[in-house]
Amino acid sequence: QVHLVESGGGLVQTRGSLKLSCVASGRAFDNLFMGWFRQAPGKEREFVAAISWAGGNTYYTDSVKGRFTISRVNTKNTLYLQMHSLKPEDTAIYYCSATRTPWPRDNNSPASYEYWGQGTQVTVSS
């Protein structure tokens, strides 16, 4: 089992920045492929970013490229999402996710991840 706990969400103005964190416990963190997803009210959960177990490969949805950066520190069992130039459309609950599959074929699909955090709210005011 893997337990994931997100933090760092909050209320920020347009063009502001936030850094989300996700601390993992229960399984060797450096064996996990990790991702961030988000879900806005009335919408499906959507992929934001993903990172390989060693951090050498990162993936982003087009709408956040150049603004968000996913990273991890395996010695701290922690995953990060640095968000800059935030927009109102970034408002959502952000979820940390993990899979034991080293290289999931569809790393942008929620179905590829077995473990999920409880989420942290990000609200961007206009």
Side-chain angles (χ1 to χ4, degrees), residues 14-126:
T14 298
R15 292 182 295 279
S17 299
L18 279 176
K19 187 173 185 178
L20 306 183
S21 301
C22 172
V23 177
S25 61
R27 184 181 175 94
F29 184 73
D30 55 6
N31 288 343
L32 299 172
F33 189 99
M34 306 288 295
W36 287 99
F37 288 76
R38 65 187 180 187
Q39 189 166 17
K43 295 188 177 181
E44 294 186 351
R45 191 167 298 190
E46 67 168 354
F47 171 75
V48 176
I51 188 168
S52 58
W53 63 272
N57 296 82
T58 57
Y59 311 84
Y60 298 92
T61 192
D62 286 345
S63 63
V64 308
K65 285 180 181 176
R67 300 189 299 123
F68 290 10
T69 302
I70 188 171
S71 62
R72 64 192 294 166
V73 178
N74 287 347
T75 55
K76 294 185 178 181
N77 287 2
T78 304
L79 175 74
Y80 301 100
L81 184 68
Q82 177 68 62
M83 305 184 292
H84 294 299
S85 301
L86 283 161
K87 306 174 181 179
E89 50 264 43
D90 294 318
T91 295
I93 299 174
Y94 282 70
Y95 296 92
C96 171
S97 59
T99 176
R100 294 166 295 176
T101 303
W103 297 102
R105 184 176 64 180
D106 298 318
N107 62 38
N108 60 353
S109 170
S112 295
Y113 297 82
E114 304 95 271
Y115 306 107
W116 294 86
Q118 82 290 347
T120 186
Q121 176 71 48
V122 172
T123 303
V124 184
S125 62
S126 57

